[in-house]
Amino acid sequence: MAKVTIRNEIRFILNGRDVALSSVAPDATLLDWLRLDRSLRGTKEGCAEGDCGACTVLVGKLSAGGLVYESVNACIRFLGSLDGTHVVTVEHLRGQPGQLHPVQQAMVDFHGSQCGFCTPGFVMSLYGLWMKSPDPSNAAIEKALQGNLCRCTGYEAIMRAAHAISSYGKAAKDPLAAERKAITARLEALRDGARVEIGSARARLIVPADVDDFATVLDKEPGATIVAGSTDVGLWVTKHMRDISPAVFIGNLDGLCTIAEDKGVISIGAGVTYTEAFSTLSKRIPALGPLFDRIGGEQVRNMGTIGGNIANGSPIGDTPPPLIALGARLTLRKGKKRRTIPLETFFIAYGKQDRQPGEFVETVHVPVPAKGTSFAVYKITKRRDEDITAALGAFSLTLGKDGTVADVRIAYGGMAATPKRASFVEKALLGKPWTEETVEAAMAQYARDFTPLTDMRASAEYRALAARNLLMRFFVETSGTRAPFQVSRNEAA
C-alpha cells in the first residue's frame, strides 16, 4: 500500500466561498459553526436531535451520478464529515435582482409561515425537492417534508406553496443549477486523496483517504468512534454530552458507498445511505420501500446508513429484523482480513456485537426473495411518520406444493435485547399447513421466544399482543382470508 499523504485541515465550500479549517473539534456540529462562527443564523436550533428540521441545510457531494444535493440536519451533522462537500444555507438563496427566491416567494404568497421559526428549514427542504422535481406530487412533497415540523400552519398552506414554486421561476435556471459545473470542478479539485488528521492526543478527528486507509487507522485506533451518518452519534453529543474522541469520519469513502447485485444477492457497502439504497431495494424487495419511507425524515435518510444501523446494534433498529428474515450475511474487516457471518449471529446481547477491536462492518449481503416466497415488514409506532419503533416484525414464507410451510423466517425488533428471530414460532409453523388454525397454535410459542419490556414507547403486554397480531396479519395477507380479530392499526400500511 502506498504511503498516505496527511492533511491537517478539512476543506469544503460554504455557499459560494471555499473554507479550510485546521482547528475543528471532533464533536463540532455544522449548526453551531454556522451560527456562532459564521453568523449565518437562518439555520435554527429546535430539537438538536434531527427531528424538527429547523436546522435543515443542503449538502452537495460528488457521487457516481455527479453532484448530488441532499437536505440534512445541521444539528447532528459534524464538521468533520464535510470534507469535499458543498454546504448551502438559506442565506444563499437568491432570485432575480430585488426579488425573493421562488421558494421563498411561494411561501410568502401562500401564507406558509406564521411564527417563522421553522420556515428556513421548510424552505431548504422544498428547495432540495424543487431542484430534483420541479412539479412534485403530493406524495413527493409530503415525503420531502417528513422531517420538518411546524406548530402553526397545519401544513396545508406549505403544501400549496410547494405546488406553486415553479410558477415563480424555473429550477433549471436557478443559480445552484447554473453553477453546477463550476461547483463540480471545485469539489473535484478538493479530492486530493489525502487523509485528514486534526487535533492531538485523544481530541482528534480523522477522515481516512479510502477504505484501506480506514482499515489501517482503525487497526491503530481500535477505540475510536466510527461516524458514518451521525444520526445516532449526533445525539450522543447533543443530548448525552458523550466524548466521541478520537472520531473517524467515513461517510464519504467511495469504497463503502457501493451497491450492486450478483446472482440474486444485493451487496450494500456500509456507507450507503437509506436514500441511496432506496431505489434498488424498493424495486427488488418491494416491502422494504414503505419501511424505508418511515425511517426518520428525509434529512435522516439522506445521512443515515444501513451499515451504521446494523453496527450500532440497537434492539429497535429498523433494518436488522427484515434483513435477518431475508437471510442476510455480514462482511466484517480488520486490517486486510475479512470474515463473513450470518447477520443474526452478529447480535450477541444488549450493547454487544460480534465485532472485535479494530474491526468494522464493511458490507451487508441481502438475498432477493426467490420466486414464490412471501416477504413482509410491519413497523409499529405511536405516530406514523418520523417515529422510533416500538415493535417491528419481518416475515419470510415459502410454501410447498401441498400448501405446507416449507421455509419460514420471522424476526422482530423491540421485543428483546437484540434483533431476534422467533425460533419457537418458526418451528411450530414448519411443515404444517398454512392455515388459520396452524397460525393460532403457533402464537402460543411467542411466550417462549420473547419477554418484551415496558418503556415509554409501549408496554410489554402491548408488544406481546402486537407481535402475535402481526403474524396473523401476515397470514391474512398471504392467504386472502380474514382474521378472527382486529389487527393493530398503527403499524405500517
Side-chain angles (χ1 to χ4, degrees):
M1 179 178 172
K3 185 177 180 180
V4 175
T5 302
I6 306 296
R7 173 161 41 92
N8 300 121
E9 62 183 18
I10 61 171
R11 301 170 183 169
F12 59 95
I13 302 171
L14 172 64
N15 294 326
R17 296 185 177 184
D18 291 333
V19 174
L21 302 176
S22 58
S23 179
V24 181
D27 59 359
T29 66
L30 174 57
L31 174 64
D32 284 347
W33 182 77
L34 289 173
R35 292 182 60 82
L36 302 178
D37 288 64
R38 287 298 191 265
S39 297
L40 296 174
R41 299 191 177 96
T43 307
K44 308 295 185 183
E45 178 173 330
C47 64
E49 58 186 29
D51 277 345
C52 75
C55 67
T56 301
V57 299
L58 299 186
V59 172
K61 62 181 181 181
L62 296 177
S63 69
L67 177 56
V68 178
Y69 287 94
E70 295 176 323
S71 58
V72 305
N73 295 120
C75 67
I76 54 172
R77 184 70 181 251
F78 294 111
L79 278 177
S81 71
L82 296 173
D83 194 60
T85 67
H86 181 203
V87 178
V88 181
T89 71
V90 70
E91 288 86 357
H92 197 51
L93 272 67
R94 56 200 187 276
Q96 296 299 318
Q99 297 180 13
L100 292 174
H101 186 274
V103 179
Q104 296 168 317
Q105 192 62 58
M107 287 285 282
V108 171
D109 290 350
F110 286 84
H111 308 288
S113 176
Q114 288 191 29
C115 82
F117 186 86
C118 68
T119 301
F122 273 94
V123 166
M124 294 307 293
S125 290
L126 290 177
Y127 185 31
L129 173 64
W130 182 62
M131 293 295 292
K132 292 182 292 186
S133 179
D135 186 24
S137 64
N138 279 341
I141 297 169
E142 290 173 357
K143 183 175 178 177
L145 296 181
Q146 276 178 315
N148 293 82
L149 304 181
C150 178
R151 298 183 65 181
C152 300
T153 68
Y155 300 97
E156 289 187 14
I158 298 173
M159 292 288 291
R160 290 193 291 269
H163 281 297
I165 295 171
S166 287
S167 65
Y168 294 90
K170 302 299 181 183
K173 295 183 178 180
D174 184 82
L176 204 60
E179 297 165 358
R180 183 173 292 268
K181 287 185 179 180
I183 293 295
T184 299
R186 289 167 67 182
L187 292 180
E188 291 279 8
L190 294 179
R191 304 180 81 170
D192 59 0
R195 177 199 301 169
V196 177
E197 290 189 7
I198 298 177
S200 59
R202 281 185 50 83
R204 290 184 298 134
L205 70 82
I206 302 169
V207 184
D210 52 33
V211 179
D212 290 338
D213 188 41
F214 173 38
T216 300
V217 168
L218 201 61
D219 206 25
K220 295 180 179 178
E221 299 276 359
T225 302
I226 302 172
V227 184
S230 71
T231 56
D232 205 23
V233 177
L235 273 68
W236 296 0
V237 170
T238 63
K239 294 300 180 183
H240 305 294
M241 309 303 174
R242 284 175 55 176
D243 179 13
I244 62 170
S245 302
V248 181
F249 294 92
I250 64 169
N252 293 332
L253 299 186
D254 291 339
L256 293 180
C257 296
T258 59
I259 180 167
E261 181 176 349
D262 182 44
K263 297 179 181 179
V265 176
I266 302 171
S267 294
I268 306 167
V272 173
T273 66
Y274 301 116
T275 297
E276 291 166 339
F278 181 85
S279 177
T280 298
L281 292 181
S282 62
K283 179 180 179 181
R284 300 293 285 129
I285 311 174
L288 292 180
L291 173 66
F292 274 40
D293 277 345
R294 295 183 62 206
I295 296 176
E298 186 84 344
Q299 298 93 324
V300 166
R301 294 190 292 269
N302 289 337
M303 292 169 56
T305 67
I306 296 173
N309 196 234
I310 292 170
N312 193 36
S314 171
I316 54 174
D318 285 334
T319 61
L323 298 184
I324 289 171
L326 289 165
R329 296 176 65 80
L330 198 64
T331 294
L332 298 152
R333 177 174 175 180
K334 177 178 171 65
K336 295 182 179 180
K337 295 181 179 179
R338 293 178 174 86
R339 62 188 177 104
T340 300
I341 61 174
L343 176 58
E344 62 189 282
T345 66
F346 179 68
F347 306 102
I348 299 172
Y350 182 77
K352 183 178 181 181
Q353 295 84 47
D354 182 10
R355 182 160 60 91
Q356 303 303 314
E359 193 172 40
F360 63 93
V361 174
E362 186 173 46
T363 314
V364 57
H365 311 279
V366 187
V368 176
K371 185 177 181 180
T373 295
S374 298
F375 176 70
V377 188
Y378 310 113
K379 173 175 175 172
I380 296 176
T381 54
K382 287 185 176 180
R383 64 175 186 258
R384 189 183 187 285
D385 288 331
E386 205 186 13
D387 202 1
I388 295 174
T389 292
L392 184 149
F395 305 82
S396 177
L397 172 74
T398 304
L399 298 179
K401 293 182 179 179
D402 59 356
T404 60
V405 178
D407 184 63
V408 62
R409 294 175 66 93
I410 301 172
Y412 280 88
M415 293 290 290
T418 65
K420 185 175 180 291
R421 284 179 70 176
S423 302
F424 286 104
V425 175
E426 292 175 358
K427 290 178 182 177
L429 295 170
L430 199 61
K432 305 289 177 54
W434 185 237
T435 63
E436 187 174 305
E437 291 73 23
T438 297
V439 171
E440 286 185 332
M443 284 182 175
Q445 300 302 312
Y446 272 100
R448 300 180 66 185
D449 278 317
F450 303 109
T451 306
L453 298 175
T454 294
D455 60 19
M456 67 179 71
R457 297 185 181 93
S459 67
E461 293 78 12
Y462 179 83
R463 285 188 164 107
L465 175 61
R468 297 194 299 271
N469 282 359
L470 292 183
L471 175 61
M472 182 58 75
R473 173 176 176 168
F474 181 63
F475 168 73
V476 169
E477 293 181 347
T478 54
S479 65
T481 62
R482 298 185 64 183
F485 53 84
Q486 187 74 20
V487 177
S488 177
R489 285 298 163 194
N490 61 338
E491 73 279 2

